[in-house]
Amino acid sequence: MILTPHVLTGALIGAQTTNPLAAFVFGLVSHYLIDKIPHWDYDIKKIEEKSGGGKVITQWLKIGFDLSLPFFIMGFLAPNEQILKLSLLGAAGATLPDFLVYLSWRFPMKILTAHAKFHDKNHSKIKLGLLAGPVSYLAIIFLFLLLYP
Ligand SMILES: [Zn+2]
């Protein structure tokens, strides 16, 4: 999963609310809605299964960048502390499902596995290629910059 679009969408939605719970819940719901749209993706499970420590570290660095970039953007652009808090809650809700999927691989508990199955079933099966993937990624960032308060 590419995290930046989820984080930015959750942040954008959270910033439109006035209630912390609403920011989190709407952010959470946005994850499942966005997953239905074909998007650029990477499979953390496959990354972990690959051998060769160097390559795995490179992949985790990519994920770290993917996760931290939207928080930097948000931190710079949030006009005040209240909107930043609501944005962070929206972003937290929007990233929770992928975190739960990751946890289900590490700790295959019934509830986590059931969520992972639901998440995978809900997720678009269309994989974007090397052009459409990055273009859609940049389009989400552009839309965020345009619409964020
Ligand atoms: Zn997802």
Side-chain angles (χ1 to χ4, degrees), residues 1 6 31 35 98 119 123:
M1 169 48 43
H6 282 304
H31 184 102
D35 269 356
D98 280 348
H119 177 272
H123 202 280

Side-chain angles (χ1 to χ4, degrees), residues 17-34:
T17 68
T18 52
N19 176 306
L21 182 63
F24 183 82
V25 170
F26 288 135
L28 180 72
V29 170
S30 79
H31 184 102
Y32 298 104
L33 295 176
I34 286 187

Side-chain angles (χ1 to χ4, degrees), residues 116-136:
K117 276 185 186 165
F118 167 76
H119 177 272
D120 289 354
K121 204 172 177 186
N122 174 66
H123 202 280
S124 168
K125 305 295 178 251
I126 300 167
K127 299 277 178 199
L128 293 185
L130 279 177
L131 181 65
V135 166
S136 68

